[in-house]
Amino acid sequence: MRRKLMMSRLQSLEPGSVVITRQSVDATFKPQFEQVVLGKTVVRSTNLDEQLAQELMQCSKEINQFNTVIGNTMCTLDFYEGQGRLDGAICLYNEEEKLQYLKEAYDSGVRNIEMESSVFAAMCNLSGVKAAVVCVTLLNRLEGDQISSSHDVLVEYQQRPQKLVGYFIKKSLGKV
């Protein structure tokens, strides 16, 4: 009963929602990427181009085919413990702790979790390249850790970011 009450107070995105990343954050919700260079830790910003994010959001409104939000993407070092999953070989926390962590993540602006965006954002910033990260959510982590959607549904989900970015490119080239 307590679990159901706690989950009902938490917010999340439904599977298939597209997330345009404002900034990639680490597992402590900081917009940074730590890299060791010549034995020294270097911390780099993972903010992404806000104007580009807004342009992508406008494109999503124009095609109006799926739910799209702008939010933070949490980039973790691993798929299981780093993402607060309960289904890995090592799990030293319980479901209540997991749900509390995911609530803190959501409250800090996190809308999806993955493992690549921080290095991408940091390297683009370092290189002076305007960049965006566009992801799709595959499941509601407040309801579990296993993907239960059919193959056909997952294929459709994975095409959503591609459709959005493709539309953006066509629009930028004056082809829309």
Side-chain angles (χ1 to χ4, degrees):
M1 179 70 169
R2 180 180 170 146
R3 177 179 176 260
K4 288 185 187 247
L5 289 174
M6 183 174 187
M7 286 181 61
S8 68
R9 291 187 306 228
L10 300 179
Q11 299 173 332
S12 67
L13 296 178
E14 289 305 309
S17 297
V18 171
V19 178
I20 302 166
T21 304
R22 172 173 288 117
Q23 58 188 0
S24 176
V25 298
D26 64 17
T28 64
F29 319 131
K30 294 177 187 163
Q32 64 184 27
F33 173 69
E34 290 188 19
Q35 180 179 11
V36 178
V37 178
L38 301 176
K40 297 177 184 166
T41 301
V42 176
V43 178
R44 296 194 166 121
S45 170
T46 55
N47 291 323
L48 291 158
D49 189 83
E50 183 66 31
Q51 181 181 347
L52 184 53
Q54 292 299 327
E55 290 173 15
L56 285 161
M57 187 64 174
Q58 180 58 38
C59 286
S60 181
K61 290 176 183 174
E62 290 171 16
I63 61 176
N64 194 30
Q65 295 179 7
F66 38 77
N67 181 47
T68 304
V69 299
I70 295 176
N72 295 340
T73 294
M74 183 166 64
C75 185
T76 65
L77 298 177
D78 69 279
F79 187 74
Y80 293 99
E81 284 188 300
Q83 295 186 16
R85 292 177 177 275
L86 297 170
D87 57 349
I90 299 172
C91 182
L92 303 176
Y93 44 85
N94 61 38
E95 186 171 13
E96 187 174 332
E97 291 168 313
K98 167 198 160 177
L99 292 174
Q100 181 58 39
Y101 178 70
L102 293 176
K103 180 187 182 315
E104 290 171 17
Y106 191 91
D107 290 347
S108 76
V110 170
R111 296 299 177 263
N112 67 305
I113 306 171
E114 51 80 89
M115 297 171 52
E116 299 85 18
S117 62
S118 65
V119 69
F120 175 80
M123 294 301 111
C124 288
N125 278 329
L126 188 62
S127 303
V129 174
K130 288 184 178 183
V133 172
V134 182
C135 301
V136 66
T137 59
L138 297 181
L139 72 153
N140 180 340
R141 289 292 311 289
L142 300 175
E143 295 175 0
D145 296 329
Q146 294 292 313
I147 296 171
S148 60
S149 299
S150 72
H151 173 75
D152 291 341
V153 168
L154 293 173
V155 168
E156 196 275 322
Y157 286 174
Q158 82 176 22
Q159 292 173 350
R160 291 177 179 187
Q162 296 168 20
K163 287 178 182 177
L164 175 55
V165 172
Y167 181 87
F168 171 80
I169 291 170
K170 286 179 184 177
K171 184 177 176 181
S172 298
L173 295 173
K175 304 283 185 185
V176 174

